[in-house]
Amino acid sequence: FLYRYGYSSIGLNFFLGALVIQWATLVLAFLHSSHNETLELQLDNLLTADFAAAAVMITFGAVLGKVSPLQLLVIAFVEIMIFGVNEMIGVRELRAVDIGGSMFVHTFGAYFGLALTRMLAADTRGARHYGGSPKEGAVYHSDLFSLLGTLILWQYWPSFNSALGVGDQRHRAVINTYYSLAACVVVTFAVSCLFDKKGKFHMVEVQNASLAGGVAVGAAADFLLQPFGALLIGSAAALVSVFAFRYIQPHLQKYYHIHDTCGVHNLHGLPGIMGGLIAIIATATINSNKYGNSLYQVYPAMAPNNHTSEFLVINALGYGYSTGEGRNSAQQAGYQMAALVITLVIAIVGGTLTGLLLRLPIFKQPELFEDSENWHMAPGQPEVLAD
């Protein structure tokens, strides 16, 4: 939607996505391996590398138009390593569940990016205020292309949330995400209109807030939420996201100098935290009888220890669950909370340190929201505008 930064918005996303998938495959495989000479490559490795790339793309959204391609490379390489450490802590050590990445992907990527853009705004080398640039705006056709991207994401989001699931897990994730997204779109249009003095829709809210339901339901996508639960989550996510676009984002920029180009805080940050909290509440109040044999599929750490008779019975019946820690629902909810808090801390600290790194004199400050600095422009393009 940045009319002078379309080449970079799409082109650099394309380049970074391809690069990060390869780098993440190596980093995540190393962190999760037993440090043998050979790293095993399976389908799950490809999926988790995709998720890692998504976190970097979310971060890119916060700093879009304000960093050079070289700085983006540094961000990508550093963030993936920090992302991998956080995921290792949350998934392997705490054994928290987050099938759709509400915490480990969306929350992490958003707050890493917000801390990063705050540090860049504090650059003492003649720091510029990012807001108010004449190039930080859209034209009719750029908004249409952005809305087309929203439609594609909306259509494929259920596959994102369900990719790591198996059996009933995957079915529930698809159904819950489907209904959450559907409710989110309806409420986004309604709230966008109600919040406007003239009763009109805001394109930036429709482009972004309509996807917040997919983020918010992510951590609990494979839970037994029931359709009405998924509808409520999607509706609440739309309300939170539109409110954040309308009121919180301008406040953060004015008083805290946090310039969020794409509004990742509103689409990924707050809905991601919301998703983490929903998973905590749903876990603490779980009715294990309703899950039947799939309970330990959703919560591997709640499976009995391999030294117990219950574990022997389960495996004798052929379910093939891996050994757990015998946690109860309250304990698992506590670990979910710990994973959310640790993710926020690591993301903010990591983004802050990366931002400080990018303020070193070796990095040139780019022209804000301007393609012509790095691309050959098509004939007939308008001249470069001064900030």
Side-chain angles (χ1 to χ4, degrees):
F1 50 85
L2 296 172
Y3 75 101
R4 290 290 306 182
Y5 204 69
Y7 286 8
S8 298
S9 297
I10 299 174
L12 294 180
N13 257 293
F14 185 26
F15 166 70
L16 277 182
L19 176 69
V20 167
I21 285 174
Q22 299 172 68
W23 177 231
T25 300
L26 291 174
V27 171
L28 297 180
F30 175 79
L31 289 173
H32 290 279
S33 73
S34 57
H35 304 295
N36 295 324
E37 292 183 2
T38 303
L39 298 177
E40 294 185 4
L41 185 62
Q42 301 175 357
L43 181 59
D44 284 353
N45 298 92
L46 304 182
L47 292 172
T48 52
D50 280 341
F51 288 177
V56 175
M57 297 303 105
I58 292 167
T59 295
F60 184 24
V63 298
L64 190 70
K66 300 174 293 191
V67 291
S68 67
L70 176 59
Q71 288 175 312
L72 283 175
L73 279 174
V74 174
I75 293 169
F77 275 97
V78 173
E79 183 174 1
I80 286 299
M81 291 187 286
I82 300 173
F83 173 92
V85 170
N86 180 68
E87 188 198 47
M88 182 180 67
I89 294 172
V91 175
R92 194 170 75 181
E93 302 301 326
L94 300 179
R95 301 190 74 174
V97 297
D98 184 16
I99 191 173
S102 295
M103 297 185 294
F104 301 137
V105 176
H106 298 283
T107 301
F108 180 88
Y111 286 96
F112 190 101
L114 291 174
L116 177 60
T117 193
R118 178 62 183 86
M119 287 298 100
L120 293 176
D123 196 328
T124 57
R125 292 174 295 158
R128 298 164 291 178
H129 291 290
Y130 295 132
S133 169
K135 290 176 287 187
E136 192 188 6
V139 292
Y140 191 77
H141 67 268
S142 66
D143 263 341
L144 284 178
F145 277 110
S146 182
L147 184 59
L148 177 61
T150 297
L151 294 174
I152 294 172
L153 285 171
W154 192 90
Q155 182 178 2
Y156 287 102
W157 210 289
S159 65
F160 180 90
N161 280 357
S162 63
L164 293 175
V166 293
D168 291 342
Q169 254 189 312
R170 179 170 292 174
H171 296 158
R172 287 194 296 264
V174 170
I175 293 169
N176 289 331
T177 306
Y178 177 88
Y179 281 113
S180 182
L181 284 168
C184 188
V185 170
V186 174
V187 175
T188 294
F189 273 88
V191 176
S192 180
C193 180
L194 289 173
F195 280 4
D196 188 77
K197 293 180 180 179
K198 297 182 179 180
K200 295 182 178 181
F201 305 115
H202 281 242
M203 177 58 78
V204 69
E205 293 165 359
V206 172
Q207 290 166 341
N208 292 275
S210 56
L211 299 171
V215 178
V217 79
D222 56 337
F223 293 5
L224 283 170
L225 299 175
Q226 304 299 335
F228 73 87
L231 292 170
L232 286 175
I233 291 171
S235 300
L239 182 61
V240 168
S241 187
V242 173
F243 182 85
F245 267 106
R246 194 67 62 91
Y247 302 109
I248 296 178
Q249 183 171 345
H251 182 84
L252 290 176
Q253 182 171 328
K254 181 177 181 180
Y255 295 104
Y256 298 98
H257 307 296
I258 299 176
H259 181 273
D260 183 3
T261 306
C262 294
V264 300
H265 186 233
N266 317 316
L267 172 56
H268 302 279
L270 291 176
I273 291 176
M274 180 180 170
L277 294 175
I278 289 169
I280 292 167
I281 296 170
T283 300
T285 59
I286 190 174
N287 184 343
S288 57
N289 293 327
K290 289 185 177 180
Y291 281 87
N293 297 326
S294 68
L295 176 66
Y296 304 141
Q297 199 175 61
V298 177
Y299 298 102
M302 293 179 67
N305 190 279
N306 60 354
H307 298 299
T308 62
S309 58
E310 185 181 357
F311 181 80
L312 295 176
V313 171
I314 291 173
N315 275 271
L317 294 174
Y319 294 123
Y321 296 130
S322 58
T323 181
E325 300 176 15
R327 295 177 185 172
N328 58 37
S329 58
Q331 290 172 327
Q332 181 63 35
Y335 281 98
Q336 294 289 136
M337 174 62 79
L340 177 59
V341 173
I342 290 172
T343 295
L344 282 168
V345 171
I346 291 179
I348 293 171
V349 173
T352 300
L353 294 177
T354 306
L356 292 172
L357 175 64
L358 297 183
R359 287 167 53 178
L360 293 175
I362 60 173
F363 295 106
K364 175 188 174 184
Q365 285 188 339
E367 187 74 26
L368 292 179
F369 315 117
E370 179 57 55
D371 272 335
S372 61
E373 192 168 25
N374 297 298
W375 297 83
H376 290 288
M377 304 300 290
Q381 291 293 322
E383 296 295 326
V384 176
L385 299 176
D387 288 327

